[in-house]
Amino acid sequence: MAGESTTIARPYAEAVFNRAKETDTLGPWSETLEFLAAVVGEPTMAGVITDPKFDRSSLTDLLIEIGGDRFNEEGKNLVKVLIENGRLTLAGDIAKLYEQLKAESQRIQHVHVTSAYALEPTQETQIADALKAKLGYDITITSEENAELIGGIHIRAGDMVIDGSVSGQLQQLANELGI
C-alpha cells in the first residue's frame, strides 16, 4: 500500500470498523468491502470511475446497482460518501486496513511465510507457536514456496519482517561490504 493513500483511507476504514463493532457485523462488512474493492479494481470499472464525463450521481447508481443486495443501507451510504468525496479508488486500501483492524481486535495475526521448500504442517505449527509466544496473537499462516531464497524462510507479520533466508543473508552481507 502506498503511504499517502493509506493515510487517506485510514479514517474511512476506522469509521467502518467502529460501526461494524457497534452493530456486531465484522464479517458482513468484510464481505462488503472485499466486494467493493473487487468492483473498483476491475479495469473497465476503474476507467469509468476516473472518467470525468461520468457524473457522481450516475456512478453511485451504477455501483449500487452492481452491488445489488450485497450492499445493505450502510453499505450504500459508504459508496455514496466515497464517491462524493472522490475517494472510491481507495476501496482496496480501505478493505485492507479494515481487515487489519478486525484481525487486531480479534487478536489474530495473519503471517505470510515464504520458504525455499514447501513447509510441512508440523513446521507451520512450530512457526505459529513461536510467533504466538512472541507477539501474543493467535497466528494464521499462509505459506508459499520460492526456490530463489536458496534456503531458510522469510516471514512477514504485518509490518514485522524476519528474513532468515540464505538469499536475504547474502544480500545483507553484500550491503555491509558495499557491493
Side-chain angles (χ1 to χ4, degrees):
M1 282 186 285
E4 187 177 340
S5 65
T6 300
T7 301
I8 297 168
R10 188 173 309 283
Y12 293 99
E14 288 173 349
V16 171
F17 173 73
N18 289 333
R19 182 65 186 147
K21 270 186 18 185
E22 285 172 18
T23 56
D24 198 25
T25 54
L26 288 170
W29 269 109
S30 285
E31 293 169 19
T32 298
L33 291 172
E34 183 181 334
F35 175 75
L36 182 59
V39 170
V40 169
E42 198 277 321
T44 304
M45 195 65 198
V48 170
I49 291 167
T50 55
D51 186 344
K53 295 180 198 134
F54 212 82
D55 68 83
R56 290 178 177 179
S57 173
S58 299
L59 183 57
T60 302
D61 293 344
L62 175 65
L63 264 165
I64 289 173
E65 186 178 320
I66 290 170
D69 60 5
R70 287 179 180 251
F71 294 134
N72 61 17
E73 282 310 307
E74 288 185 339
K76 290 175 187 174
N77 287 339
L78 175 65
V79 169
K80 289 175 190 169
V81 166
L82 290 175
I83 291 171
E84 286 169 10
N85 294 324
R87 301 294 190 214
L88 189 58
T89 55
L90 296 176
D93 288 329
I94 293 168
K96 286 176 190 160
L97 288 166
Y98 173 86
E99 289 304 319
Q100 288 173 2
L101 292 166
K102 179 179 156 194
E104 286 171 17
S105 77
Q106 295 173 334
R107 305 290 292 165
I108 297 171
Q109 177 73 47
H110 298 282
V111 175
H112 188 81
V113 178
T114 308
S115 59
Y117 305 96
L119 292 177
E120 298 292 327
T122 54
Q123 292 171 311
E124 282 190 9
T125 302
Q126 288 171 337
I127 293 168
D129 290 346
L131 288 170
K132 182 175 181 175
K134 180 177 176 69
L135 302 173
Y137 288 96
D138 285 331
I139 304 294
T140 58
I141 290 184
T142 55
S143 62
E144 70 174 307
E145 204 175 324
N146 182 347
E148 292 178 12
L149 295 182
I150 304 168
I153 60 173
H154 182 272
I155 299 171
R156 177 176 297 280
D159 294 335
M160 182 183 71
V161 175
I162 301 169
D163 191 347
S165 68
V166 172
S167 65
Q169 292 168 355
L170 290 173
Q171 183 62 51
Q172 185 178 354
L173 179 61
N175 291 343
E176 288 173 9
L177 296 174
I179 299 173

